[in-house]
Amino acid sequence: MGIFDKGVQKTRRGFFERLSRAVVGKSKVDDGTLDAIEEALVATDMGVDTTLKIIENLEERVSRDKYVSYDELVELLRDEISRLLEVSAPEQSVVEPFDFSKKPYVVMVVGVNGVGKTTTIGKLASSLRAQGKKVVLGAADTFRAAAVDQLTIWAERAGVDIVKQEMGSDPASVAYDAVKSAVAKSADVVLVDTAGRLHNRIDLMNELTKIRNVMRKVVPDAPHEVLLVLDGSTGQNAFQQAKEFSKATDVTALAVTKLDGTAKGGVVIGIVDQFRIPVKFIGIGEGIDDLKVFDRKEFVNSLFSREDLGK
């Protein structure tokens, strides 16, 4: 089984069950079949706009290619979804997560509370440390004591340094100290956690802008990455969060967590298509090694694998 099979198993099963019902006994694709395919795609939480785009392209290709078989239909869908996931460097299936020529590579991590943001930072730190990289964490989510405590535990588990202050401290001050510490220690990467609040977008925008500005006093082109963490199991809520954070700051990459627990994995495809932001990491389990670098081709292959569908 592929690396993402566990992560998309529920989505794959639900999708193929609906798809099979849509085409059973049919010798060609008609409007009823396309409606059923549309329903199957929407059920994965791909989003209406992305689904309609796929259906329109399918209609064109079916009329042109005179499709007859179920397998050909599946291949057409695979091609369409692969194309939608191409945001940058179409010839590459993996977007390189970090540019280690920039030292330290500064990553500002954003996302609402409860999506697995702090855990994602901890798993990233652990993975980087295992690659022999020197990592510094910045606990700039100072509004929740639990966030600082959780990140401290992760820092200890991963064997990396952490910069933190008292709860309620200025988040920008923590971010500044973290980047300064990373420079002083010749660290390869600094991961800065930020508060996950969407109660007022203006406040969010101001806070993230302030954090960005103070980090630039130390590293002029920081942050090199703004990583938005989304919970894949929340479906349309994830779309809304992507929308809000994209308005508040320049999100450059996505990490999608908890994908293994949902049949709505189509949300990954919809968000990439609608916001044109690449997915760099995907969470497919609770374990420390269950945060994987996103491989577009492998993800699509897992989504369309039919090895376990009869089990």
Side-chain angles (χ1 to χ4, degrees):
M1 292 180 81
I3 198 171
F4 296 127
D5 278 4
K6 181 174 72 165
V8 300
Q9 188 177 58
K10 290 184 178 179
T11 301
R12 178 174 63 240
R13 286 190 164 178
F15 173 68
F16 273 105
E17 281 171 11
R18 287 183 173 88
L19 192 62
S20 296
R21 286 200 298 270
V23 299
V24 67
K26 300 281 182 71
S27 60
K28 65 175 185 172
V29 173
D30 55 22
D31 287 345
T33 313
L34 287 168
D35 286 346
I37 294 169
E38 183 179 325
E39 190 180 302
L41 292 171
V42 168
T44 70
D45 252 349
M46 199 174 288
V48 173
D49 290 343
T50 299
T51 296
L52 290 177
K53 191 182 290 187
I54 291 172
I55 294 298
E56 283 172 11
N57 289 341
L58 272 184
E59 283 178 320
E60 278 182 31
R61 292 181 65 171
V62 164
S63 63
R64 185 179 73 234
D65 301 341
K66 305 301 179 198
Y67 141 79
V68 286
S69 76
Y70 175 78
D71 286 339
E72 283 177 283
L73 175 62
V74 170
E75 282 307 308
L76 287 178
L77 281 167
R78 183 201 288 263
D79 290 348
E80 287 299 324
I81 288 171
S82 295
R83 199 174 46 76
L84 291 177
L85 286 170
E86 291 176 5
V87 178
S88 57
E91 69 283 355
Q92 298 174 350
S93 63
V94 179
V95 180
E96 286 303 317
F98 300 109
D99 180 359
F100 293 116
S101 68
K102 296 173 180 175
K103 193 171 178 178
Y105 189 80
V106 182
V107 183
M108 183 165 77
V109 187
V110 300
V112 300
N113 296 330
V115 297
K117 179 164 53 74
T118 307
T119 301
T120 296
I121 294 169
K123 289 179 178 180
L124 267 179
S126 179
S127 173
L128 289 163
R129 182 77 175 80
Q131 295 169 43
K133 302 299 180 185
K134 196 167 189 178
V135 183
V136 172
L137 304 184
D141 184 354
T142 57
F143 291 91
R144 291 189 309 133
V148 178
D149 293 345
Q150 190 184 0
L151 201 62
T152 302
I153 292 167
W154 272 109
E156 290 168 359
R157 284 180 71 185
V160 302
D161 293 330
I162 184 169
V163 173
K164 57 185 178 178
Q165 295 180 14
E166 296 296 314
M167 183 185 166
S169 302
D170 179 11
S173 172
V174 180
Y176 177 85
D177 287 350
V179 177
K180 198 170 182 182
S181 173
V183 170
K185 293 173 180 176
S186 295
D188 296 291
V189 179
V190 55
L191 303 170
V192 179
D193 192 10
T194 62
R197 300 166 305 142
L198 275 178
H199 65 290
N200 182 321
R201 193 166 64 238
I202 300 301
D203 287 355
L204 175 73
M205 192 179 298
N206 291 343
E207 184 177 293
L208 295 178
T209 300
K210 186 179 177 184
I211 290 172
R212 181 189 292 265
N213 289 343
V214 300
M215 291 194 295
R216 283 181 177 167
K217 291 179 180 178
V218 187
V219 176
D221 56 347
H224 303 110
E225 189 87 273
V226 178
L227 181 68
L228 172 61
V229 182
L230 297 169
D231 178 347
S233 69
T234 62
Q236 291 304 302
N237 278 344
F239 271 92
Q240 192 59 34
Q241 289 161 26
K243 185 178 176 182
E244 298 294 333
F245 276 99
S246 294
K247 287 178 182 174
T249 191
D250 182 23
V251 176
T252 58
L254 302 173
V256 183
T257 67
K258 308 180 189 179
L259 206 62
D260 55 309
T262 179
K264 298 184 179 295
V267 70
V268 174
I269 300 154
I271 287 175
V272 171
D273 173 50
Q274 294 300 310
F275 296 97
R276 308 314 294 159
I277 301 169
V279 176
K280 287 198 173 180
F281 303 98
I282 200 158
I284 55 170
E286 297 295 321
I288 195 167
D289 296 323
D290 284 337
L291 185 75
K292 304 295 184 184
V293 174
F294 184 70
D295 183 320
R296 185 179 73 246
K297 287 180 181 171
E298 197 158 343
F299 176 79
V300 174
N301 287 342
S302 293
L303 190 62
F304 283 89
S305 167
R306 285 178 273 173
E307 288 179 17
D308 65 336
L309 292 176
K311 297 176 185 177

